[in-house]
Amino acid sequence: MRCSTCDAPAVIDQPYRDVHLCAAHFRASVEERVRREMHRQLPRFARGTVAVALSGGKDSAVALALAHRYFHRRPTVRVVALSVDEGIAGYRAGTLKAARTLTDSLGVEHRIVSAQEGFGTTIDRTASDLPGTVPCSFCGVWRRQLLNRAARGVGADALVLGFNLDDLAQTILMNLVHGDLDRLVRMAPHRVRQPGLVPRVAPLARIPEREVFLYAKLKGIPFDHGECPYAGRAARNLFREVVWQLEEAQPGTRQALLRTHERLVTRFLTDEGSATAPARCRACGEPATTELCRACEYVEIARSVPSAPEAS
Ligand code: Q46
Ligand code: ZN
Ligand code: ZN
């Protein structure tokens, strides 16, 4: 296969655009899509702090590398990487190490916050105390809140997330299937400011997962290949499979889901004036749509069962 632009050997095909690209044109196409997306989601951002959520996996590593590339010529913009240690043995230590390798190589400030400090427990402990539950439900909610607090703590004006096109297409489909319009409107990337929430941007929104992986490989961006031991239990797996099958049968499905979402949000904002403004949680003061935020609700559930003694 040859590059559709310059005839050099192709390294990837993009069936949704019906083209093949060589390494140089592929890298340029990723960088240009991310640059445009960053500009669209953070218009005229020339001064302030941008936090980047960095797990140490490929997506967040590429998001940080490209955010650094985008902002590094603007000395008035500070980029800070934020990592969350949820307490997952055999997994998180490796990803945090990769995260540190990347921040050191870029010269980016790096802070780590933990579920233990924030919520007094870990995902491992919760998974063993509540064997019938899906650890990812707790993990996702707690991580979101820890990142929001940490981003506020460093005075961030925006929080960059490594969500790629596949992630977003899956989330959109999940929320549609669950009929959860509120969550559909509130999901990142954020179009309106919500009190107490650092606006989340997703510069990889137009980049399919396999292209993020290839870009990281071609650029030699360090990331950890490990898989979380709880990943097999995630509710998202079904939607990953469904989106993948739809994309195979009908290239461009993921982009179509993204466009549908953008139009729905536009329509919703026009009709309602603004996105649902969250109130504050009565326990922790973080933004919440109910009296008690979901992070605190999960802390109460986790505390309601006596913890098994720690293995030594
Ligand atoms: S870390 Fe947490 Fe993921 Fe592990 S427990 Fe699930 S959500 S799979 S990104
Ligand atoms: Zn080419
Ligand atoms: Zn709360």
Side-chain angles (χ1 to χ4, degrees):
M1 272 188 313
R2 298 263 146 197
C3 175
S4 310
T5 307
C6 73
D7 214 32
V11 294
I12 193 157
D13 63 322
Q14 294 179 330
Y16 54 89
R17 300 205 290 148
D18 203 17
V19 298
H20 302 98
L21 294 175
C22 68
H25 280 114
F26 167 69
R27 282 197 302 266
S29 99
V30 170
E31 286 157 9
E32 178 53 19
R33 274 176 287 167
V34 170
R35 190 196 63 75
R36 256 190 269 139
E37 204 53 37
M38 195 71 104
H39 183 72
R40 199 173 72 90
Q41 294 182 31
L42 271 184
R44 294 179 294 283
F45 189 81
R47 183 177 298 278
T49 299
V50 172
V52 180
L54 178 66
S55 70
K58 67 179 187 321
D59 302 297
S60 62
V62 168
L64 176 63
L66 288 174
H68 177 258
R69 179 190 164 93
Y70 185 78
F71 290 116
H72 86 284
R73 277 198 221 98
R74 304 178 203 186
T76 45
V77 176
R78 168 181 169 229
V79 174
V80 185
L82 303 174
S83 299
V84 175
D85 180 355
E86 306 91 342
I88 302 173
Y91 168 64
R92 193 44 90 204
T95 62
L96 290 176
K97 195 164 162 232
R100 183 49 59 93
T101 306
L102 178 60
T103 52
D104 283 351
S105 75
L106 296 173
V108 167
E109 184 182 338
H110 184 205
R111 302 202 182 179
I112 300 174
V113 291
S114 73
Q116 181 62 53
E117 285 162 41
F119 296 113
T121 188
T122 64
I123 288 302
D124 278 345
R125 199 173 317 136
T126 306
S128 97
D129 289 349
L130 297 160
T133 57
V134 178
C136 298
S137 309
F138 292 79
C139 187
V141 168
W142 286 343
R143 188 194 309 126
R144 261 196 302 280
Q145 192 177 106
L146 286 169
L147 282 171
N148 190 52
R149 286 194 224 166
R152 259 200 336 250
V154 298
D157 301 287
L159 175 61
V160 169
L161 301 173
F163 293 155
N164 60 47
L165 176 61
D166 293 68
D167 295 328
L168 290 174
Q170 292 154 17
T171 308
I172 292 164
L173 195 62
M174 275 168 85
N175 287 331
L176 282 171
V177 167
H178 295 147
D180 199 334
L181 187 59
D182 271 352
R183 217 180 268 183
L184 196 65
V185 171
R186 280 189 280 111
M187 66 179 269
H190 291 162
R191 298 258 296 270
V192 285
R193 277 192 170 265
Q194 300 171 43
L197 264 191
V198 178
R200 292 161 176 237
V201 294
L204 307 187
R206 310 273 160 187
I207 317 291
E209 181 168 12
R210 75 182 189 122
E211 296 187 29
V212 175
F213 179 80
L214 181 61
Y215 183 83
K217 283 291 193 193
L218 291 174
K219 293 286 285 187
I221 296 170
F223 67 90
D224 189 83
H225 293 254
E227 194 181 17
C228 173
Y230 306 116
R233 299 201 227 164
R236 172 178 291 273
N237 293 339
L238 171 63
F239 291 88
R240 177 173 292 118
E241 183 65 23
V242 169
V243 168
W244 187 78
Q245 283 189 19
L246 285 169
E247 184 68 36
E248 280 278 296
Q250 216 169 298
T253 295
R254 293 165 299 183
Q255 284 89 347
L257 277 165
L258 207 64
R259 280 197 303 277
T260 303
H261 176 249
E262 281 163 5
R263 283 193 204 137
L264 274 172
V265 174
T266 302
R267 181 72 61 90
F268 187 85
L269 292 178
T270 314
D271 288 354
E272 305 280 322
S274 72
T276 43
R280 300 291 180 146
C281 168
R282 69 169 152 77
C284 71
E286 287 292 315
T289 47
T290 46
E291 210 188 322
L292 198 64
C293 77
R294 283 216 298 157
C296 287
E297 188 189 322
Y298 283 166
V299 169
E300 284 198 354
I301 295 171
R303 283 190 188 140
S304 68
V305 287
S307 215
E310 294 273 336
S312 55

